[in-house]
Amino acid sequence: MNPLLHDAALRASRYLAGLDERPVYPGVGAVARLAELDQPMPEHPQAADTVLRQLDELGSPATMASAGGRFFGFVVGGALPVTVAANWLATAWDQNSASPAAAPATAAFELVALRWLRELLDLPRDAAGAFVSGTTMGNLCALAAARHAVLERAGWDVEADGLFGAPPITVVVGDEAHPTLFKALGVLGLGRSRVVTVPVDDQGRMRADRLPRLTGPSVVCLQAGNVNTGAFDPFIALCEQAHHDGAWVHVDGAFGLWAQAAPELRHLSAGVNLADSWATDAHKWLNVPYDSGLAFVRDANALRAAMAVTAAYLPTPGDGARVPSDFTPELSRRARGVDVWAALSALGRRGVAEMVERCCAHAQTFARGLSSAGFEVLNEVVLNQVLVRFGTDQNTGDVIEALQADGTCWCGLTHWQGRAAMRISVCSWATSGADVQRSLAAIVRVANGRTR
Ligand SMILES: Cc1ncc(COP(=O)(O)O)c(C=O)c1O
């Protein structure tokens, strides 16, 4: 075996095996040692095994143990072992996944993965799909398709002529839209602030009774899974009214869209498939390695119109085969769909459902445990998100800081409707019941005195 790859596999295995015993946030000393990286670029080549050793010795101890079972920050999934292995193999292939002419194998794996995803998430079976870096880019792709479609209906070719002089587009967002949705709107020239904002209820759900009547080119942006509470917009009422008014409906479903794959949770996302486009992440709840997001667009031609390019040197398959780069912002990119195919293949429909439902059951355990310990849970725990408060804003911040330093688990600070809260997001395949109990005990211990 190639000794270098063998060494990398051994080091990676040792790293993963050690996650259970080490503090989730790296030690102060390990982070301080990163300063040793700040060297002049080597003048002469170095042995590859020396480079790998430096990476492991300096890098591994300074990582956040988010691949383990007790990281609950930011809605971050782990990486199923089969997806890490598939990712390694696909990295060895080093395919440029732009087209079947350049990469027949990865084009085929991605095609199947997209079909399985549409079935699993119950999206239109003929929707276009794109593998992108995350939901930020998924939102951007889907909204580019929306921009194309609503302006085309108004007789304007936005790809050719840009937005100068174009008919104005009304963009509607909920008051709790994720900041990256605004980033996508800004990049697309639709404006981060030039939006109509609809109020939300106490869980962050858009209020259907406050959706304005729309005329002319319009895009309504909804959300499956609020980043704090996990709440879902009421899709049926919102989609019906928006479509009645001729608007395009887009759903940011970074993690919430995965409720569609879980029979126990599907009631939460009822009607989400009425929309016109969707963005979600595979690196969150499908637990594949970073980076991996998805865009789906009901009108495949709209996404293709927004993203496709032609050039004399780029082959057009004679058999009408799908060209992946017709649907993505990038031309060259890694084979993200291979990791996704591996996850879906290994888990099966039941395995995905079980993983998503298990995370939500863990969230319920956290909420029950913290409530019975006398702490205030601020949200209705419908999905995988728990917001808990420890008395005052100041005390909540202090508890979070002490918990992060304790290292048993890692949770972050947020503010929910004006009040500081600790956010627990359960999203990893690796989180076991024992991890939850150990983390719960640590949170209660730290909150009841902030001592070990
Ligand atoms: C609702 C929502 N939208 C968008 C994003 C951004 O996703 P990404 O970081 O994968 O681009 C997130 C991330 O947590 C999210 O929760």
Side-chain angles (χ1 to χ4, degrees):
M1 189 194 281
N2 177 322
L4 185 68
L5 297 186
H6 186 58
D7 189 22
L10 284 179
R11 288 177 187 278
S13 302
R14 199 182 311 136
Y15 172 79
L16 291 174
L19 287 177
D20 202 39
E21 296 312 318
R22 53 157 282 191
V24 176
Y25 189 80
V28 180
V31 176
R33 276 201 68 195
L34 292 172
E36 293 174 31
L37 279 173
D38 192 12
Q39 304 285 340
M41 182 173 161
E43 191 59 36
H44 300 289
Q46 296 193 80
D49 60 344
T50 308
V51 174
L52 191 67
R53 183 172 44 74
Q54 285 173 350
L55 184 68
D56 191 23
E57 286 178 5
L58 277 182
S60 295
T63 55
M64 175 76 94
S66 51
R70 294 188 309 282
F71 181 80
F72 305 111
F74 309 121
V75 200
V76 163
L80 291 156
V82 69
T83 68
V84 177
N87 181 286
W88 287 350
L89 184 56
T91 300
W93 292 347
D94 191 28
Q95 299 290 284
N96 182 335
S97 297
S99 76
T106 61
F109 281 101
E110 292 196 347
L111 194 62
V112 173
L114 286 175
R115 175 164 64 77
W116 288 356
L117 285 165
R118 285 188 294 259
E119 290 166 6
L120 186 69
L121 302 173
D122 195 17
L123 301 179
R125 302 304 190 261
D126 53 354
F131 287 102
V132 291
S133 57
T135 296
T136 305
M137 286 305 287
N139 282 333
L140 185 123
C141 291
L143 291 169
R147 186 182 67 164
H148 169 87
V150 299
L151 286 181
E152 187 185 47
R153 278 181 230 145
W156 188 267
D157 181 346
V158 68
E159 282 74 33
D161 301 324
L163 280 174
F164 299 102
I169 302 176
T170 306
V171 178
V172 179
V173 300
D175 210 9
E176 271 287 329
H178 194 269
T180 57
L181 186 94
F182 295 99
K183 184 194 282 206
L185 291 171
V187 172
L188 289 167
L190 297 173
R192 291 190 185 201
S193 308
R194 199 194 138 279
V195 291
V196 176
T197 304
V198 179
V200 295
D201 67 12
D202 63 344
Q203 299 301 307
R205 293 173 290 227
M206 188 188 278
R207 284 186 48 188
D209 60 325
R210 301 290 294 273
L211 179 69
R213 300 316 305 219
L214 298 164
T215 52
S218 318
V219 179
V220 177
C221 302
L222 307 182
Q223 185 164 256
N226 177 283
V227 76
N228 283 308
T229 64
F232 293 70
D233 287 343
F235 298 113
I236 296 175
L238 289 164
C239 288
E240 273 174 7
Q241 183 178 318
H243 281 157
H244 182 269
D245 291 351
W248 176 290
V249 179
H250 169 67
V251 177
D252 174 350
F255 57 102
L257 197 59
W258 292 90
Q260 286 282 95
E264 285 178 15
L265 302 163
R266 270 196 76 156
H267 63 281
L268 295 167
S269 52
V272 74
N273 47 8
L274 298 172
D276 300 288
S277 59
W278 305 262
T280 191
D281 271 322
H283 58 219
K284 290 187 169 60
W285 231 338
L286 190 58
N287 279 267
V288 302
Y290 281 98
D291 50 21
S292 192
L294 290 145
F296 292 98
V297 177
R298 181 186 292 278
D299 175 358
N301 287 331
L303 184 59
R304 189 187 284 106
M307 295 295 157
V309 288
T310 53
Y313 79 97
L314 293 174
T316 312
D319 58 359
R322 175 181 183 275
V323 177
S325 65
D326 280 355
F327 302 95
T328 55
E330 308 93 343
L331 183 58
S332 306
R333 65 174 173 83
R334 77 174 184 95
R336 296 190 179 100
V338 168
D339 313 352
V340 170
W341 174 87
L344 297 175
S345 198
L347 292 169
R349 293 180 79 96
R350 292 231 181 124
V352 175
E354 199 272 327
M355 180 170 68
V356 170
E357 287 167 0
R358 186 174 68 234
C359 289
C360 297
H362 288 330
Q364 293 289 347
T365 306
F366 270 119
R368 274 196 307 274
L370 291 164
S371 294
S372 55
F375 305 114
E376 185 186 5
V377 173
L378 299 186
N379 64 320
E380 291 168 16
V381 181
V382 292
L383 198 67
N384 63 331
Q385 304 289 119
V386 183
L387 298 177
V388 59
R389 182 170 163 84
F390 304 95
T392 61
D393 282 5
Q394 176 69 46
N395 202 51
T396 300
D398 290 348
V399 169
I400 292 168
E401 210 175 294
L403 183 73
Q404 292 174 357
D406 171 85
T408 306
C409 62
W410 200 97
C411 304
L413 170 72
T414 191
H415 285 84
W416 179 246
Q417 298 190 336
R419 299 203 295 162
M422 186 168 89
R423 198 167 70 119
I424 304 171
S425 174
V426 192
C427 204
S428 175
W429 74 278
T431 301
S432 64
D435 285 319
V436 174
Q437 291 307 329
R438 197 166 147 191
S439 303
L440 195 48
I443 297 170
V444 172
R445 166 169 48 75
V446 167
N448 283 336
R450 304 203 288 281
T451 53
R452 252 183 183 276

